[in-house]
């Protein structure tokens, strides 16, 4: 059950980023999740090369899917 929930969150993050880069607060707002939770998932996805960091947007980095 827990793995299924994690996979659902990962898919939701990927879908939210499909139309371009997003910051952590952007993703948190879109997904209605806490920013610290989104940060953990994005950091993990970045570590595994699924998401890449981009330019800074104000105070936050923009992350995008690696194609």
């Amino acid at each position: 059950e827990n793995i299924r929930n994690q996979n659902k969150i990962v898919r939701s993050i990927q879908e939210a980023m499909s139309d371009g880069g997003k910051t952590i607060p952007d993703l948190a707002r879109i997904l209605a999740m806490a920013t610290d939770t989104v940060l953990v998932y994005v950091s993990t996805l970045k570590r595994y090369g699924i998401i890449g960091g981009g330019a800074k947007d104000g105070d936050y980095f923009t992350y995008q899917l690696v194609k």
Side-chain angles (χ1 to χ4, degrees):
E1 181 67 30
N2 194 26
I3 291 174
R4 235 182 296 185
N5 189 42
Q6 289 175 350
N7 289 338
K8 182 180 174 186
I9 293 170
V10 167
R11 280 192 305 274
S12 296
I13 290 172
Q14 291 173 314
E15 287 172 14
M17 298 177 89
S18 65
D19 64 347
K22 302 279 188 293
T23 64
I24 298 296
D26 290 340
L27 288 169
R29 188 183 68 254
I30 291 166
L31 302 172
M33 294 175 61
T35 54
D36 58 337
T37 303
V38 173
L39 180 59
V40 168
Y41 278 94
V42 168
S43 297
T44 302
L45 293 171
K46 184 177 178 191
R47 180 177 180 169
Y48 288 101
I50 297 168
I51 290 175
K56 219 170 177 189
D57 182 14
D59 292 334
Y60 303 99
F61 285 100
T62 301
Y63 297 93
Q64 64 246 352
L65 294 174
V66 174
K67 307 256 174 170

